[in-house]
Amino acid sequence: MTDRDSSAESPADRSFEIELKLLIDAIYLKYHYDFREYAGASLKRRLLAALERFDCATLSQLQDRLLHDTEVFPQLLDYLTVQVSEMFRDPDYFLALRQTVIPMLRTYPSLKIWVAGCSTGEEVYSFAILLREEGLLDRTLIYATDINTNALARAAAGVYSVDRIAGFTDNHRRSGARNSLSDYYTAAYGRAMFDKSLRKNIVFSDHSLATDSVFAEVQLVSCRNVLIYFNRELQDRALGLFSDALCRKGFLGLGSKESLRFSRHADAFADLVREQRLFQKQDFAA
Amino acid sequence: MSAADFDAIVIGTSAGGIEALSRLLPALPAALHASVLIVLHLPRDRPSLLADLFAPQCALAVCEAEDKEPLQPGTVYFAPPDYHLLVDRERDGSVVLALSSDELVHYSRPSIDVLFESAADAYGPRLLGIVLTGGNQDGAAGLAAVHREGGRCIVQSPDEAQAAYMPEAALRRGHADEVLTLAQIAERLSRL
């Protein structure tokens, strides 16, 4: 029988943990990106993959390159942050938005929506299309934020490989679509470019949930499958920003397996559509 | 192998997994101290009914994992479809469940390797890893990680597995302290 506290890690692995901490500190000190409160297990996996990608034997080697070759960091940032999503991912989420949230949003003369951690933009265009179909896009401003400026540039371009369109189309149809997805893009040379008019009311902006503060009052925050990469402290920070940004009775949408149950902000929100992780800000919330 | 040896048990399986788990999970004793985490490969685009299916057969609580859920002893957690399931140690030392939508591993999300490798990091020698029937090599690298960190490894005998590829790959690339039939694994689990 082994005593829990004597469970010695193998020496090689302890070095990895030390190097990981040093690398994350180096990134913070040199580039001001803060991964110190990211969930450890996923971060470790991504860094192990990055070692292969950058052909480094150790994280110390990677750190050396990061500090002395400024072209390496943007590539590593893609590795650490870019999430490949789909348009209308989890169609039932968008269906629930149409059925439950949109009728209440209609009562506002003008709307602001924050898509936090928008990565390459699939969810932002999903919102723009949904709002156009519901007749609300013209009076809505969508803030699309991410820490990765490369991803934001790709989001702003609104161009996706046509290989992905079949999946997007199926999701869109299942989200309660009123039109065909093909109404919103033109396809050429293997790429689908989404209609410029969709992004007329989208502001793409560099924002960190780890280090920046609230920038506007909004009626809806959608932040899906972003918080899973944070530890509890950073989740609490992000949820605090959402709570502060939301207007009275504002709405919050999370990823399908994300929960407020383990957060200190749990009491600030009430379930709206439990299955789809749609919440509404409570009155008198702390 | 005694009741006090393990804080967590990780189980990985794919083809034939529901039937295999139907024989193992009912054997887990109500007073089990360890948490049980399971990856069973499933279609990614539908909700999973595994927790509902197994809860009535088990003496333990059975649920689908949620992000940042603190691990409870004597509870069975299934990885949700289309997410990797990992375990993380928080700053205060508590162990929580963590999810990720990172790329597929061995065409799978959830992946057995992802669960086993993170559990090996979090639990070291206090972990029991079990690879059962299945049709791909997911789990082999994970079981190797469990062994490397001092945990105990059991592989279902490929001879009786409905799909032999997964246990065979685990034996080839991973490590097994014991190769057992389902009946023998169930008997081991019932004594934990």
Side-chain angles (χ1 to χ4, degrees), chain A residues 17-27 29 60 63:
Chain A
E17 304 306 327
I18 293 166
E19 289 176 295
L20 190 151
K21 186 176 179 331
L22 293 172
L23 179 76
I24 295 306
D25 282 348
I27 291 172
L29 292 170
S60 299
Q63 179 181 320

Side-chain angles (χ1 to χ4, degrees), chain B residues 19-181:
Chain B
E19 206 180 314
L21 291 172
S22 300
R23 298 190 44 201
L24 294 188
L25 299 187
L28 291 166
L32 185 73
H33 156 78
S35 309
V36 183
L37 299 98
I38 304 175
V39 165
L40 170 60
H41 292 166
L42 279 179
R44 290 191 287 121
D45 58 350
R46 288 175 237 161
S48 151
L49 302 170
L50 292 173
D52 297 337
L53 176 69
F54 284 104
Q57 305 178 28
C58 291
L60 306 174
V62 182
C63 55
E64 187 172 274
E66 285 196 358
D67 186 54
K68 297 298 173 286
E69 189 166 356
L71 273 153
Q72 302 293 334
T75 304
V76 178
Y77 300 94
F78 278 100
D82 208 22
Y83 287 89
H84 293 303
L85 173 63
L86 306 95
V87 288
D88 245 323
R89 234 173 237 289
E90 288 283 334
R91 281 264 182 83
D92 59 9
S94 64
V95 181
V96 299
L97 297 170
L99 300 176
S100 113
S101 350
D102 281 358
E103 60 268 36
L104 312 189
V105 176
H106 301 303
Y107 312 100
S108 304
R109 192 170 57 208
S111 145
I112 300 165
D113 283 346
V114 172
L115 170 64
F116 279 32
E117 286 168 7
S118 71
D121 278 345
Y123 288 108
R126 310 273 315 158
L127 180 69
L128 169 61
I130 305 176
V131 171
L132 302 173
T133 169
N136 88 18
Q137 61 172 311
D138 194 16
L143 206 62
V146 173
H147 175 62
R148 193 171 57 238
E149 297 301 326
R152 189 168 181 83
C153 302
I154 293 177
V155 174
Q156 184 186 4
S157 164
D159 294 339
E160 72 142 25
Q162 197 173 320
Y165 194 93
M166 186 174 281
E168 276 170 357
L171 290 175
R172 226 175 16 248
R173 162 134 192 238
H175 170 89
D177 294 296
E178 292 182 287
V179 181
L180 301 172
T181 64

Side-chain angles (χ1 to χ4, degrees), chain A residues 1-4 7-10 13 17 36-37 39-42 44-46 48-49 79 82-84 86 89-90 174 225 227-233 235 255-259 261-262 274 277, chain B residues 2 4-5 7 33 44-45 64-70 80-83 86-92 94 96 98-103 105 109 113-115 117-118 121 123-126 148-149:
Chain A
M1 198 190 310
T2 322
D3 181 61
R4 183 198 305 244
S7 62
E9 287 177 282
S10 59
D13 272 12
E17 304 306 327
R36 293 174 301 177
E37 306 282 348
S42 280
K44 177 176 176 179
R45 281 200 77 82
R46 287 180 171 197
L48 283 170
Y79 244 80
V82 169
Q83 273 307 300
V84 176
E86 294 165 27
R89 179 177 180 180
D90 306 322
R174 289 158 59 203
N225 299 318
L227 299 184
I228 50 178
Y229 295 102
F230 296 173
N231 73 11
R232 261 192 319 227
E233 283 76 20
Q235 284 197 354
S256 64
K257 302 298 165 194
E258 291 174 324
S259 173
R261 277 201 291 152
F262 314 111
R274 204 182 133 64
R277 301 300 199 259
Chain B
S2 77
D5 284 350
D7 291 330
H33 156 78
R44 290 191 287 121
D45 58 350
E64 187 172 274
E66 285 196 358
D67 186 54
K68 297 298 173 286
E69 189 166 356
D82 208 22
Y83 287 89
L86 306 95
V87 288
D88 245 323
R89 234 173 237 289
E90 288 283 334
R91 281 264 182 83
D92 59 9
S94 64
V96 299
L99 300 176
S100 113
S101 350
D102 281 358
E103 60 268 36
V105 176
R109 192 170 57 208
D113 283 346
V114 172
L115 170 64
E117 286 168 7
S118 71
D121 278 345
Y123 288 108
R126 310 273 315 158
R148 193 171 57 238
E149 297 301 326

